[in-house]
Amino acid sequence: MRLEEKIKKLIDGQAFASITRHVRSLFHRLFFPSPIKPKRIIASIEGHNRFHEICDRYGMEDPGEGPPKFLNLKRWIRRNAKRVRELRLDDQKRQRVLDLGCGPGYFLYICRCLGHDVLGIDIDEVPMYGELTQLLEVPRVIWRIEPFVPLPDLGQFDVITSFLTCFNEPIGPGLWGIAEWDFFLEDIRRHVLPNGRLWFELNRQSDGQPYSPALKRFFESRGARIDLYRVMFTSDRVARSSA
Ligand SMILES: C[S@@+](CC[C@H](N)C(=O)[O-])C[C@H]1O[C@@H](n2cnc3c(N)ncnc32)[C@H](O)[C@@H]1O
C-alpha cells in the first residue's frame, strides 16, 4: 500500500477498523488454519494439458495488464485464495456464491473446491476466459451488466462478489454514478439471501481513487462498510436509505 494511502486511512479514521480486521483474521488463522492450499490448487490446474495449450495460445512474456496476466497461476491463485479467506468462505457450510465479471473463474474454482455452489456472470469478449472457466468447470452465464437494467433471474445467493470490478466502466459517458449504483443495489437485493453479503472490490480510476467522495458517501448512506477499494454490504443493510 502506498504511503499516501496509509496516511489517508489514518486521517479518515479507517485505520482502526482495518487493523482490527487484520488482527482478528490473524488470530482466527492461528487457531483455525485455512484448508485452502494454493500449491495444490495450482497443481490441479497445471495437471490439465489443456491449461498448457491455453498458455501456448494466449501466454506472452509480458502481458502487462491484459487478460493473459491471469495465466500466472502463482500470482492469481494466491490472490484468489486470499479473497476466499477474507470472505471466510473457507470455514463456512455450503454457500451459494455469485461472482460478477468472473473472468478466468479462479475465485469460483476455489469456492467450488471448498464445496460451495458457484455461478459466474461475464460478457463473452475474451475467449481465454471462456476456455479457462470451461476447463475449471466453473458455470458461467453470459450477460452484460448495464446501467438501469436488472440482473437476470438466477435465484438467490449467500455471497455476491465482484473483484476488479469493470461493469461500472461502460464505454461511453464515463463511470457509473450514484443513480446507476442506486438502481443496481436496489435490484440486487432480491438476489441476496437473508444474512447474505455483497462484496465489491472497485478498480482504481485514473485519479488513483476507486470512487468519488460523493459515491463513497452514497455507499455509506446505504450501509456499506468501506475499506479502501472494498465496498461491502450485508443483506439487511443494502436497503435504500429511508431518507
Ligand atoms: C479485470 S477482469 C477481473 C476478473 C476477475 N473478477 C478477477 O478479479 O480475477 C474484469 C471482468 O469483468 C468482466 N466485465 C466487464 N464488463 C462487464 C459487464 N458490463 N458485465 C459483466 N461482466 C463484465 C470482464 O469480461 C472481466 O471478466
Side-chain angles (χ1 to χ4, degrees):
M1 191 196 308
R2 285 176 303 189
L3 181 65
E4 188 192 347
E5 281 173 351
K6 285 187 182 170
I7 293 169
K8 271 191 192 151
K9 267 186 122 180
L10 284 171
I11 291 170
D12 70 10
Q14 286 186 42
F16 184 72
S18 179
I19 290 168
T20 312
R21 197 167 57 81
H22 286 295
V23 170
R24 203 185 303 133
S25 163
L26 189 71
F27 270 97
H28 187 80
R29 293 294 153 225
L30 274 177
F31 295 106
F32 305 100
S34 174
I36 304 174
K37 307 286 176 232
K39 276 190 185 160
R40 268 190 229 159
I41 295 167
I42 291 171
S44 74
I45 301 173
E46 285 179 339
H48 291 275
N49 285 339
R50 238 185 327 144
F51 178 71
H52 300 284
E53 287 164 20
I54 293 171
C55 290
D56 288 345
R57 235 163 321 116
Y58 301 108
M60 37 179 99
E61 236 159 66
D62 179 17
E65 280 310 298
K69 72 181 176 188
F70 289 111
L71 294 172
N72 180 344
L73 289 182
K74 202 168 163 191
R75 174 178 171 202
W76 289 97
I77 292 300
R78 281 181 200 287
R79 179 139 179 203
N80 280 282
K82 189 165 174 252
R83 291 168 172 171
V84 173
R85 283 194 211 105
E86 282 172 342
L87 274 148
R88 296 264 171 92
L89 282 166
D90 56 339
D91 65 0
Q92 286 182 20
K93 62 173 178 37
R94 191 180 176 92
Q95 303 270 293
R96 289 208 75 207
V97 184
L98 175 69
D99 189 31
L100 310 177
C102 62
Y106 298 143
F107 170 73
L108 292 177
Y109 177 63
I110 299 173
C111 289
R112 198 167 64 75
C113 292
L114 291 165
H116 299 305
D117 183 10
V118 305
L119 184 64
I121 289 186
D122 211 332
I123 48 178
D124 198 16
E125 287 189 353
V126 177
M128 190 190 82
Y129 294 156
E131 292 184 44
L132 283 169
T133 47
Q134 220 180 1
L135 173 71
L136 302 176
E137 296 181 39
V138 165
R140 194 175 76 134
V141 169
I142 300 302
W143 179 271
R144 182 177 291 279
I145 301 169
E146 286 185 294
F148 308 116
V149 177
L151 288 176
D153 224 341
L154 301 170
Q156 288 189 302
F157 297 85
D158 297 289
V159 181
I160 301 182
T161 53
S162 176
F163 302 101
L164 296 173
T165 307
C166 281
F167 62 74
N168 63 329
E169 301 174 12
I171 306 156
L175 283 180
W176 281 15
I178 290 174
E180 288 85 351
W181 276 105
D182 188 40
F183 179 94
F184 177 79
L185 290 177
E186 201 52 32
D187 173 58
I188 210 166
R189 286 170 59 191
R190 68 194 166 92
H191 300 279
V192 191
L193 282 163
N195 299 320
R197 293 176 287 160
L198 297 176
W199 181 289
F200 302 111
E201 294 193 359
L202 303 185
N203 267 326
R204 284 197 174 81
Q205 305 309 314
S206 49
D207 62 358
Q209 299 303 315
Y211 33 63
S212 66
L215 193 55
K216 182 173 184 240
R217 280 196 299 277
F218 164 74
F219 286 141
E220 285 168 340
S221 78
R222 295 290 298 255
R225 192 159 60 84
I226 296 185
D227 183 5
L228 286 177
Y229 52 89
R230 292 193 185 99
V231 181
M232 300 157 280
F233 297 89
T234 48
S235 57
D236 55 323
R237 304 200 72 184
V238 72
R240 183 170 274 159
S241 56
S242 49

